[in-house]
Amino acid sequence: AAMAKLILLWLKCVILYNAVGAVFEDQVGKFDWRQQYVGKVRFSHFDTHVQSSKKVLVATENNVFAALNTRTGELFWRHVDKSGPEGNIDALLHHGQDAILVVGNGRLLRSWDVNVGGLNWEIVLDSGSFQKACLVGQQGTVKNVAVLKKNIISLHYLSNGHQKWIENLPESETVDYQTVYSGGNGEVYALGIVPHSHVVIIAYSTDDGEIIKQISVEAPWLSNIVASCAVIGQGVLICVDSATPSLYMCDLHLDTHDLQMTQIPLQSLGLEVAPDFQPVLVSHQPNSAHQPLSEFFLQLGPDNFLLLQLNNGQIVTLRDFKPVRNLFSILPTSVNICQNVNVAWHPCQNILFPQTCYCKIFFINLFSAETGRRLLDTTLIFVMDPNGGKPEKIYIQPFLKKDDSVGYRAMVQTEDHTLTFIQQPGRVMWTREEALSDVVTMEMVDLPLTGTQAELEGEFGKKADGLMSMVFKRLSSQLILLQAWIAHLWKLFYDARKPRSQVKNEVTIENLSRDEFNLQKMMVMVTASGKLFGIDSKTGSILWRHYLEDVPSNAAFKLMVQRTTAHFPHPPQCTLLIKDQDTGLTTLHVFNPIFGKKSHVNPPALPQPILQSFLLPLMDQDYAKVLLLVDDQYKVSAFPSTKNVLQQLQEMASSIFFYLVDSSQGRLSGYRLRTDLSTEQIWEVVIPMEIQRIVSVKGKRPNEHVHSQGRVMGDRSVLYKYLNPNLLAVVTESTDTHQERSFVGIILIDGVTGRIIHEAVQRKARGPVHVVHSENWVVYEYWSTKSRRNEFSVIELYEGMELYNSTVFSSLDRPHAPQVLQQSYIFPSAISTMEATLTEKGITSRHLLIGLPSGGILSLPKMFLDPRRPEIVSEQSREENLIPYAPELMIRTEWFINYNQSISRVRGIHTSPSGLESTCLVVAYGLDIYQTRVYPSKQFDVLKDDYDYMLISSVLLALFFATMISKRLAEVKLLNRAWR
Amino acid sequence: MWHRERIPLLLAFVQSVLVVGWCFTEMEAGPGAAMSTQTNGDRFKIEGRAIVPGVKTQDWVSTARVLVDGEEHVGFLRTDGSFAVNDVPSGSYVVEVVTPTYRFDPVRVDITSKGKMRYARLVNYIKTSEVIRQPYPLQIRSSGPHSYFMKRETWGWTDFLMNPMVMMMVLPLLIIVLLPKVVNTNDPEMRKEMEQSMNMLNPNPELPDVSELMTKLFSGSKGSSKAGSSSKGTRPAAKRR
């Protein structure tokens, strides 16, 4: 019998394991999508070594190195390094098939194969802060790469990364070596400076690292080589000084020890520097095996560029680029010099281009570097997105057309991190919204009803005014419905006649409407750059974008839905709170989440730093939820603050409580609102800062529903859940990080009374701690330093066998402390983020969605994290369907809701209920964005998508015919028998 | 109510077991673990090679990464499948090759403070003391592609026919229809023979009938299978909680 029981148990386990999660192969891409991003581009090179190459290499501020397809903007491959300064990309050099990266402040040197996307080699460099790297060529071929650090210079082979030589830089304590230069003649120059004194020039031999010469040049006016100097022509160092103002030149190749910088006053060239402007020099070296061009740019003002040429020691002005008519904005970016068009077979076609701006339209033109003349038919028009930022950088891909004239494509990077790829004469080939690589917070908003549905709704929403007008309204709305129906029929008929490929179902803002089960929603995403996006959750297409200018770089965002789409004719309303984390000063941006437009409602000006903000369930007469803001004087202001709202607030004040967290002081405090909108402190919990610090405070989600109040036990009694909506889970970590003494603490506090419900400590554990707090349970994950593994712990709270007050929960009137159950498990992977599924009514069982560093999103049934899992199986626990306790939780790839669509650096998972109880909408964001649906208890309320209509109808038909035939046969038989 | 008292006890038991387990590991990984707290110790390199049998490396290396302790340290694969994670301080790490298509088992690598005594072993989170040594540098062989998808239940004629219910219905039908045609029951000799054989089968009426025994046995097993099916049946109810 014991054996049989075991087998049964095993069977049940198998059933359970199979029942949950999992995607069917034919569902791929049906309701899920992924978008991959790279982040804000820092360096970019077009792959030019093969004429037909379609690659552009990008290295970004998110420590990503990728190759994009220039035709479509999609990724060929992408390599995501460690985030933070250790994976920071310092430099990108590109030569032929190889791309050389300097990573982690000069710690690593990597070479990538551009075609395959695989690593050629990686070496560790000597320590020292990185300054500059350059390719070193000799006799026309590039074979080495030179890396300059604060005190050393080293040369490496391009083929295998091995170090050719390494030399200490002389007097590196006093001299600040800033740049390295090679003109392809067997020498490598390290340029250093003692600010406001002199420039040090050291030439090394490429072969063995021997110092060929070492010169110092007086330059008391110079403070920074990188900012105000450039090497041009045959190795001439040219610098600009804004004080005098003049250009200084010296030839690096001259072998004299009393080298002087020759001064050329700008006035002698007839030039003038704009006031308060630091002039900038830009030179270009198309091939590292050759010398740089002798033409260079000088920027004298924000909108004034000059093309100059060094000709036999004389500086000649080739062209003065000054926008003639700049109506709105001024020339925004520095001017780049683009590459030679493939030197090998078309020499000396040097091309430059500046941009000119007329209001929001930019023109890009090509100019010949040698003459300064504009090339014919090379104008490219770039129309700025009115909801985007200003252009910041431009990358040009020149190519030769069939008739040997020069064509080019441009990749424009704007302030809002968008990349736009444009073809002549101004056709946008693709855009990449790289701001979406850094989503901070998001909400999912229901789509509005269609116009006609809304019209009907509006009939009931408005105030009634007389019988006749009501009748007219009803008639007119019925007429509109009829009209819409006829239009729909006509469209169906029309579409049916057209070939299928022509029928497009493009989603635009105009034809957005809620679907039957409310599965399609508007994803409002807030990014760190300050750009807001509205994305259709079904297709992933961006429906609106809005760039908020002057968002501080260290801003914290909080997005709140004040009014949903349910209150027609009032438009839905979202409020974004933007808080400068240094000053605490806050601004509000109020907008319509469906169209992205700024609302007419004027948000209040907030002169004081804001400590806390929260939405109340109260609504004003226009159905907008009231947002309360607490400033540092503990004064409360409401938005909207109409008379109606203030009156409601006064009535409700005694039952409005809130809490503040001061993690720097380790203080949690609770406040109550007074009728005059001042506050009074009612409780305070101080967590001693010397021992532990508050890491996070988690409440429950306000839109969460719990369907059942208790759990049915094996003996048919009910264990009631402790469902305190005001419960806060406070996570603390020890300040002592020694692995023997570190600990993780969790405190459950009632947010209204300040009563500590439960306290748990995990010894020999450290963070990062991930917490999910929902219903009557808290799940948290930490690193156990003792066993060197990740562990999950679950706390569940129960009231017991009887409910104290079943109708309403009040924190002030709950005399009994809840029963606390806790259990811990081993988890075989680190985790990035964690969230619980959420459904409309809370009937469906819950799953935990766990983002893993490998890129998978694991859907782990909450059933496995149940502190009532028994060690010894009994009849009752089996009756209750409890899984026997096993210390290790499993990761099964079938539970990955995103199958092979891995998501890099998952930072957050947003869950949102849909109109179907079985279905939860999930958006995971990080470097990538992934949207899907999950069915924690399978699709119990709709027919499965593999439902076999054919089988059921054929069986029915067969039965029908069988009855018909047998009836007929029976009749015949009866008749025959009667005749007999 | 007993749950409340029992579970902490059980937990304490589990913990004590783990403590014992730890004591064993302490000796083995002791120096490494002690060194991991040292902040500016030397940095070492974890080397190895990942192999997917029967697949060209170019086809998968561009999507692969080597993760050491989550994303603590990241390494990339060379075009020949080998990898080196640089800049790793001494300590004990779980090294994992991650690709969306192929499955690799994680390996634990310990680096001593001198960086010399490195050994690799299979990851065992429960018994951290258990050591199954692996060769170093690591040779991580893929155990096949990931299986992300569930199989759809397909409908076929063979499934339908081999269903026990259908078999149970079809076989008696055949017997009823075919048997009278094969055996001529009207023949009196035949009838006699049949009666005789029936008597042979049941010589002693006192003995319990075989069929009765069978039905008893089946009803017993039916009871247990009922329990199984009832547990299945309560599952939707459990969900509705």
Side-chain angles (χ1 to χ4, degrees), chain B:
Chain B
M1 280 304 198
W2 62 273
H3 295 281
R4 220 185 143 198
E5 276 91 66
R6 273 301 275 280
I7 279 161
L9 245 173
L10 291 175
L11 275 178
F13 172 71
V14 170
Q15 253 171 11
S16 67
V17 169
L18 290 178
V19 166
V20 172
W22 174 244
C23 291
F24 289 118
T25 46
E26 193 78 63
M27 283 157 213
E28 206 119 27
M35 280 308 289
S36 67
T37 52
Q38 214 178 57
T39 44
N40 61 349
D42 289 330
R43 298 288 186 120
F44 307 104
K45 192 177 186 183
I46 298 172
E47 280 178 301
R49 188 186 176 88
I51 304 149
V52 181
V55 182
K56 261 195 253 167
T57 46
Q58 282 100 316
D59 297 343
W60 61 273
V61 285
S62 66
T63 55
R65 287 203 295 169
V66 183
L67 300 184
V68 178
D69 266 14
E71 253 179 332
E72 201 95 337
H73 303 277
V74 177
F76 298 98
L77 278 96
R78 292 198 201 99
T79 35
D80 61 347
S82 64
F83 63 86
V85 184
N86 286 303
D87 247 11
V88 182
S90 57
S92 175
Y93 302 96
V94 174
V95 179
E96 221 174 335
V97 177
V98 172
T99 77
T101 14
Y102 299 103
R103 187 173 62 232
F104 293 92
D105 289 325
V107 174
R108 189 176 280 281
V109 175
D110 297 301
I111 307 173
T112 60
S113 57
K114 285 174 190 140
K116 278 178 186 168
M117 261 189 62
R118 307 159 184 190
Y119 58 88
R121 51 191 162 114
L122 291 177
V123 176
N124 188 337
Y125 288 104
I126 300 173
K127 282 191 214 157
T128 40
S129 59
E130 198 174 85
V131 175
I132 301 166
R133 297 218 178 184
Q134 299 269 96
Y136 186 89
L138 304 168
Q139 292 281 330
I140 305 179
R141 195 173 279 273
S142 165
S143 49
H146 279 300
S147 60
Y148 289 114
F149 302 111
M150 300 270 295
K151 274 247 167 68
R152 280 262 192 228
E153 279 174 35
T154 48
W155 195 86
W157 280 106
T158 47
D159 294 350
F160 178 73
L161 287 178
M162 295 321 257
N163 191 332
M165 290 295 279
V166 175
M167 299 256 273
M168 258 159 72
M169 269 164 63
V170 170
L171 277 176
L173 203 80
L174 283 178
I175 290 165
I176 291 164
V177 175
L178 292 181
L179 214 66
K181 291 193 177 171
V182 174
V183 186
N184 193 359
T185 42
N186 291 340
D187 188 8
E189 274 178 40
M190 195 71 178
R191 209 176 264 176
K192 223 177 224 173
E193 236 174 75
M194 270 175 85
E195 265 167 24
Q196 265 176 8
S197 63
M198 287 298 265
N199 287 339
M200 284 270 283
L201 267 174
N202 203 1
N204 198 347
E206 271 93 276
L207 269 178
D209 194 9
V210 184
S211 59
E212 215 177 284
L213 219 149
M214 288 299 274
T215 47
K216 255 185 199 168
L217 201 129
F218 269 108
S219 67
S221 69
K222 218 188 224 168
S224 61
S225 72
K226 236 180 209 167
S229 64
S230 75
S231 73
K232 248 181 172 177
T234 48
R235 276 193 55 251
K239 263 167 218 156
R240 224 155 279 143
R241 256 197 313 256

Side-chain angles (χ1 to χ4, degrees), chain A residues 775-792:
Chain A
E775 283 188 43
N776 65 330
W777 47 264
V778 181
V779 172
Y780 58 104
E781 186 264 5
Y782 52 88
W783 171 258
S784 161
T785 54
K786 189 174 71 180
S787 316
R788 288 169 298 171
R789 64 193 180 200
N790 290 284
E791 289 181 6
F792 264 102

Side-chain angles (χ1 to χ4, degrees), chain A residues 76-143:
Chain A
F76 276 117
W77 45 259
R78 180 179 73 168
H79 290 289
V80 182
D81 205 346
K82 213 164 148 179
S83 55
E86 279 183 73
N88 193 31
I89 298 171
D90 300 316
L92 165 64
L93 303 168
H94 180 212
H95 175 258
Q97 266 202 44
D98 303 327
I100 317 291
L101 290 184
V102 183
V103 178
N105 197 12
R107 186 71 188 156
L108 297 171
L109 194 64
R110 268 193 202 130
S111 166
W112 293 98
D113 186 312
V114 169
N115 282 341
V116 184
L119 189 68
N120 288 326
W121 46 262
E122 175 183 290
I123 56 154
V124 184
L125 298 173
D126 281 30
S127 58
S129 97
F130 172 77
Q131 294 292 330
K132 180 98 181 169
C134 82
L135 293 169
V136 179
Q138 215 171 356
Q139 285 133 21
T141 52
V142 180
K143 280 185 180 157

Side-chain angles (χ1 to χ4, degrees), chain A residues 590-623:
Chain A
V590 186
F591 63 99
N592 179 334
I594 303 300
F595 299 102
K597 292 203 183 77
K598 202 168 183 238
S599 170
H600 309 296
V601 184
N602 275 329
L606 303 163
Q608 296 285 340
I610 296 297
L611 296 178
Q612 176 72 291
S613 62
F614 48 98
L615 274 183
L616 292 183
L618 297 181
M619 287 197 211
D620 72 348
Q621 69 273 27
D622 292 339
Y623 307 101

